[in-house]
């Protein structure tokens, strides 16, 4: 049953992390937490979804065409769901698609410092009841206290030399004309202390908040993401994507840090790597766009995050009138920035060097009031609860091109995992 009635009620500001902290034990606890910057104006907090769908391998995106999942919806697409046409059947490490619908939700506008209780229902009365529930969550807010590191150590799934060998193999394949670029990742695993849970990791990332931070728990699965990367915005027919390609570590010395940012901006290698993915995303968007409407709005912008500098570009398009969220995701997923070019061949090469990725480099998305926002699940850990507690897996990757140096690409993965590593194990 769809929820066509919506009530949007203004409330007094509370910090979204504190509100999420008060709801962390509830079923379906959700926190989409932005840094409040130019790209992260809105945060959302919710719990107690009234509909949950967890689709097995190969189910596709038809659920998103169901009117019941047209509004107030959060979903997760696993990377392997999109890669499978290129890779063929592989062991499943995470459901292809997870969806939850939230009748009650809080929306936090960081720009105006206002909170809105959003209630959805089959009629205005039901929507008002849901808005009452959302408004009541503000009173349960708990100011967060920084927990101790919840993990003793991260265990690499393979030694660093194996990653360097994979990079060298991809460079050789590029030289042979097989492809132009592939994003190759390393993985780490571990277990949380018995008295810890995944929300503790989110709390420890709070000082390094990103535009698309997230916590989501459904049953015995959870994710924590500190992603800076926008995959898609789809709003009133306009599509935008902001691929990241090119990275340098931050440095505590201001002069050295500025030099690293300038080096990234001037790097012919990183600009070429970025441009390849811009062209790939232009091609993907063209599948659903009005002819001639795909544009590169910004190219090679340096964005500085707490632990890394990134090179970011922005591509936009106008969608054809018949295109919906499911059509757009089908045309563009997985994101080009974490696959490579050509995308199909890059995914085959990735599968030759990596086990299934699961959550990592999939997408977490929110559909609300006609707008789709989807992140790329980099800087992300996936958690599963077992008899002994919560276990996790996380990855970091680098785009490999013709002149990639294996040791330098290994160092790039270390820079990218740094914030999450320190959230898990401490500095």
């Amino acid at each position: 049953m769809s929820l066509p009635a919506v009530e949007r009620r203004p409330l007094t500001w509370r910090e979204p992390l504190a509100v999420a902290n008060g709801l962390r034990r509830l079923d379906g606890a959700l926190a989409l937490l932005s840094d409040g910057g130019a790209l992260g104006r809105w945060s959302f907090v919710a719990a107690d979804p009234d509909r949950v769908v967890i689709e097995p391998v190969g189910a596709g995106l038809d659920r998103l065409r169901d009117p019941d999942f047209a509004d107030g919806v959060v979903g997760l697409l696993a990377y392997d769901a999109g890669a499978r046409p290129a890779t063929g059947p592989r062991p499943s490490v995470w459901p292809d698609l997870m969806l939850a619908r939230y009748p009650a939700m809080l929306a936090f506008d960081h720009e105006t410092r206002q909170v809105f209780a959003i209630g959805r229902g089959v009629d205005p009365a039901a929507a008002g009841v849901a808005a009452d529930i959302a408004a009541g969550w503000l009173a349960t807010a708990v100011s967060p206290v920084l927990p101790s590191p919840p993990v003793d150590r991260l265990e690499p799934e393979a030694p660093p030399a194996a990653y360097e060998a994979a990079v060298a193999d991809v460079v050789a394949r590029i030289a042979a004309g097989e492809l132009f670029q592939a994003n190759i990742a390393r993985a780490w695993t571990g277990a949380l202390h018995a008295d810890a849970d995944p929300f503790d990791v989110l709390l420890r990332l709070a000082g390094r908040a990103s535009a698309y931070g997230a916590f989501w728990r459904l049953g015995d699965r959870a994710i924590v993401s500190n992603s800076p990367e926008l995959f898609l915005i789809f709003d009133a027919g306009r599509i935008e994507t902001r691929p990241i390609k090119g990275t340098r570590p931050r440095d505590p010395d201001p002069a050295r840090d500025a030099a690293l940012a300038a080096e990234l901006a001037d790097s012919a290698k990183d600009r070429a790597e970025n441009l390849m993915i811009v062209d790939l995303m232009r091609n993907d968007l063209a599948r659903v766009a009005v002819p001639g409407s795909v544009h590169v709005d910004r190219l090679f912008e340096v964005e500085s995050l707490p632990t890394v500098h990134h090179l970011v570009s922005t591509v936009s398009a106008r969608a054809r009138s018949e295109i919906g969220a499911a059509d757009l995701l089908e045309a563009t997923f997985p994101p080009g920035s974490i696959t490579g070019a050509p995308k199909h061949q890059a995914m085959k090469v990735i599968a030759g060097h990596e086990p299934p990725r699961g959550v990592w480099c999939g997408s977490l998305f929110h559909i609300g009031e006609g707008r789709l926002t989807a992140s790329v699940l980099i800087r992300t850990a996936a958690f599963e609860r077992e008899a002994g507690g919560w276990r996790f897996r996380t990855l970091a990757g680098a785009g490999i091109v013709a002149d990639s140096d294996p040791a330098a690409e290994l160092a790039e993965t270390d820079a990218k995992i740094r914030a999450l590593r320190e959230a898990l194990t401490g500095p």
Side-chain angles (χ1 to χ4, degrees), residues 136-148:
W137 289 336
L138 292 183
T140 68
V142 177
S143 296
V145 176
L146 185 68
S148 300

Side-chain angles (χ1 to χ4, degrees), residues 33-43 108-111 210-212:
L33 298 176
S34 81
D35 59 2
L39 300 176
R41 175 173 175 174
W42 291 91
S43 291
F108 299 77
D109 185 343
H110 292 266
E111 184 175 298
S210 64
Y212 305 102

Side-chain angles (χ1 to χ4, degrees), residues 291-316:
S293 71
V294 179
H295 296 286
V296 178
D297 301 318
R298 290 177 292 278
L299 197 60
F300 310 146
E301 291 188 325
V302 174
E303 290 186 0
S304 298
L305 305 174
T307 58
V308 291
H309 302 287
H310 278 315
L311 204 61
V312 186
S313 295
T314 303
V315 184
S316 66

Side-chain angles (χ1 to χ4, degrees), residues 8-16 34-38 40-43 107-117:
R8 186 180 178 91
R9 186 184 306 168
L11 303 168
T12 303
W13 178 262
R14 292 295 303 268
E15 289 295 332
S34 81
D35 59 2
R41 175 173 175 174
W42 291 91
S43 291
F108 299 77
D109 185 343
H110 292 266
E111 184 175 298
T112 65
R113 303 284 286 181
Q114 193 166 29
V115 184
F116 296 89

